[in-house]
Amino acid sequence: MPMMRSHPFAVALTLLALTGCTSQRQTLLERTSSYVVYDMPARQVMKAAEAVLSERGYALLPSTDPLFLHTPWKIAGNHDVFTHWSRVYVEGRKRPDGRLIVRAYHMAANMPARTQMLPVPEKTTMVAPEEQQNIMPAVLLSAEPVLVRSARPDLRRDLELEWAIMERLDPDFAERVKTQVDIYLAQSSSKRPGDVLE
């Protein structure tokens, strides 16, 4: 296999059992992927990350570091009422043994009404406002917004994105993880008959 694993099943499942975390399937999958160490070319791993970001509608900003990806802000929503701004950072970190770990982070902010200068299409025609059609797309890409204080941007680790990158790089391993998680959940459920899995 092209990828080395540092006992992801045992580490993640034991950690979750000891800390009393919820036994939801997605939480287990994402936590497992956070322990994966890649034994493959760093370029291959970062290309997979680029592909996942592209599928999610993110463009990439230029970077001088081949192990660092970052996106411009993606804006979704109705600009007259409320918009959601989000951007993503993906970092590859080389270990002393040459293998690679991936860390993804998601920054998000919610903006009320038209509190921000918005990007406009490059080609515009000079027409009266009443003749202008509502042609703005639902999702736009912007450089740096001037976020209002109430927006309170939030930066968090994006384990779901890390799982998606791992699943793209090694779908067979991802399927085995899913099988093991399902077995674990079934065994946990049978030991606690009064609990209900969400």
Side-chain angles (χ1 to χ4, degrees):
M1 294 299 295
M3 187 164 44
M4 297 295 291
R5 297 143 196 123
S6 300
H7 310 302
F9 300 130
V11 174
L13 297 182
T14 302
L15 176 66
L16 289 172
L18 291 176
T19 58
C21 293
T22 177
S23 59
Q24 293 181 0
R25 186 173 191 260
Q26 191 62 31
T27 300
L28 287 167
L29 295 176
E30 292 171 6
R31 187 66 68 182
T32 299
S33 65
S34 72
Y35 290 96
V36 170
V37 179
Y38 296 95
D39 188 21
M40 56 178 60
R43 179 173 172 78
Q44 181 181 353
V45 176
M46 300 311 289
K47 282 292 181 186
E50 286 181 26
V52 171
L53 290 174
S54 177
E55 289 170 357
R56 295 177 179 209
Y58 287 98
L60 288 177
L61 291 171
S63 175
T64 56
D65 185 347
L67 298 180
F68 182 73
L69 305 175
H70 59 130
T71 72
W73 288 96
K74 184 171 78 166
I75 311 164
N78 183 331
H79 297 283
D80 289 316
V81 182
F82 195 78
T83 53
H84 177 74
W85 295 63
S86 64
R87 70 185 310 177
V88 179
Y89 304 88
V90 179
E91 181 183 17
R93 299 178 185 171
K94 278 198 174 177
R95 291 162 50 103
D97 60 8
R99 296 183 298 166
L100 191 76
I101 59 175
V102 171
R103 295 292 178 260
Y105 301 91
H106 182 265
M107 181 178 278
N110 293 313
M111 300 281 284
R114 290 184 178 269
T115 55
Q116 164 65 35
M117 292 296 293
L118 301 172
V120 296
E122 291 182 11
K123 295 183 180 178
T124 58
T125 56
M126 298 301 290
V127 296
E130 61 272 10
E131 297 175 7
Q132 183 72 32
Q133 295 181 358
N134 184 11
I135 58 170
M136 295 294 282
V139 176
L140 297 173
L141 296 177
S142 174
E144 287 297 325
V146 179
L147 295 173
V148 295
R149 185 170 297 188
S150 62
R152 294 181 183 169
D154 175 55
L155 180 67
R156 63 176 175 79
R157 177 102 174 259
D158 194 339
L159 295 177
E160 190 275 331
L161 178 57
E162 291 178 18
W163 167 265
I165 294 168
M166 187 212 68
E167 189 172 27
R168 187 178 190 91
L169 284 164
D170 197 339
D172 293 337
F173 175 59
E175 284 303 314
R176 290 199 300 275
V177 172
K178 290 176 184 177
T179 300
Q180 290 297 318
V181 165
D182 290 340
I183 291 170
Y184 171 78
L185 291 175
Q187 290 174 347
S188 296
S189 178
S190 65
K191 290 178 182 175
R192 296 172 292 144
D195 292 350
V196 177
L197 292 177
E198 295 179 357

